[in-house]
Amino acid sequence: MPFTVEDIDKKVDQNIPSLSPTAAKVMELANDINCPPGELTKVIKLDPVLTAQVLKLVNSSYLSLSNKIVSLEKAIILLGLNTIKNLALGAAALNQMEASSTSESFDNNGFWQHSLAVGVTSKLIALRRGVDKKIIEDYFIAGLLHDLGLVLESKIFHDEIERVILTATEVGIIEAEDIIFEGLNHCKIGAVLGKKWNLSEDLLNVILYHHSPFENNPSELTSTVYLANSICKNSGTGLVMDKTPVDIDPQIFTKLGISNTIESSVLESLEGEIQKAKEFMKA
Amino acid sequence: MKIRYWGVRGSVPVPGPSTVKYGGNTSCVSVEVDDTVLIFDSGTGIRECGNYLMSLGKKINGKIFISHTHWDHIQGFPFFVPAYVPGNTFEIFGPPSDVQNLSLEQIMAMQTNYEYFPIRISQLGADITYNDCREGTVNVNGFEISTCRLNHPVACLAYRLNHDGKTFIYGGDHEPYRNVYRDSKEGESMDEDFLKELDENAYMQNNKIAGFCRKADIVSWDAQYNEEEYKSKRGWGHSTYEANIAMAQNAKIKKIIFSHHEPMNSDEKLAQREQQCKEIARQKDFELEFSREGMEIDL
């Protein structure tokens, strides 16, 4: 059945819960009156939905900043710790109430791990490239949020998502979405949500073009997230819907001015970072 | 314009012998200009404001500006008699909740849920409309009112009213911005350059507020604590006498009125502090006064 961007536009006003792997830790920290700001930032940074919601709130409150990606530390100063706590609690509570609303076939834990892995990998690539440290966190946030559309897709298309997942193992996620939704995919869905949430133009481009790295003259940020996403998929980190490896276009390495050996060197650090995140949430 | 203070207390109403001079009702200020009445906040002080408006014996066309929806700024509204009278009209402005995705009307209605109050907000006799308000400028009956977002644990606005060459600012609750990572355990592991950037963000936000208040004739502002009291109340969203005196000087404010008094502070304590603050303001060449219930100012 064909679905359009307009269909999605009508549905994005609903509240979107945080991800289940982080919800319990968020509840624990946000309920603690003496929770240090650093701990709260740390757990929010592990959840793409919460991170996007904080950016939404900052951008809707301080319109002049909406063209930049704002770090979570800065958001806490601009919006106040209590506001961030309330936002986090709201989204985490929604997760507990709406646990059944996402399709059982959608692997929440795997999705969380993949988002985090792409965030960490994007940052690692940027560090290796010597990107200005002032914007290093932008790379993490962009990687973390690149698949935001999948969260909404699995919520809105409760029944169809199962068919998407099954088909993706044969033909890849984008092709599968094209077959099931006839023209719509998680990139376009994510962009509609991101636009509604006032996310910056840079982030919208990452969300929209992370599967088509040469479309619309992509920024270094989009190219980096494309590469990070491909590396994580090929290494099987977190949820990988399509089973065929991504053929990374060699032009990406030229564009970013790095060697293709970066793949193995970032993977070494990645595993340790994911492990640290898991331990933090269990602590 | 005629400015009247109906409620000056922060957090919770505190009636009793130790609050007779300054008053125990929570926030409410009215400004009358010709036939229009503008009301800022609807704490318990709005009840007496309503009784005053009813005593004028005329139809009321009022504008109510809610700084934010914490209880001490809305809890008097169900007792505001003019809202029950058919023929009266009220336009209510205030911030929605971007955190919970609730409009101002939804939040105001929640306090009269069946379990809390016998009458629904939708049953009020007056013609009432609600307007979600963020930062910007609104024109209301020829009055230009601009808003500025403040630092409080819920969306909170200050309102700047310009009329006939005069400026009155009503500030909601506000704590000066600060870098919460500076001198904290988390800050120790942060890069000094990044900490400086966060310092600059806080400085920039404080400057924005000072710019909003710049050269105003009267600024009515949250002054709940002194520096000593503030030490244990950081992050609660309120300001200090000391910070406000610095802002008044920086923004070249002509007169600043300290309000939203801490409920624990008695008349005696507030009178003493008012004298001390007035003396500092006199030396720095601006006027300063503590708000009192029943206080009237012609501007």
Side-chain angles (χ1 to χ4, degrees), chain A residues 2 6 8 10 15 20 52 61 68 91 95 108 113 126 144 149 154 165 169 171 174 186 197 220 273:
Chain A
E6 286 72 31
I8 300 302
K10 288 177 199 146
N15 290 319
S20 44
S61 308
K68 290 182 187 161
N95 172 284
N108 258 303
Q113 276 198 48
L144 186 74
S154 69
I165 292 165
T169 56
V171 295
I174 294 290
H186 68 283
W197 283 12
E220 287 184 4
E273 293 291 329

Side-chain angles (χ1 to χ4, degrees), chain B residues 210 240-252 258 284 286:
Chain B
T240 63
Y241 309 133
E242 292 84 346
N244 291 345
I245 285 171
M247 182 185 78
Q249 197 181 16
N250 179 18
K252 298 190 179 351
F258 284 1
K284 295 181 186 290
F286 63 86

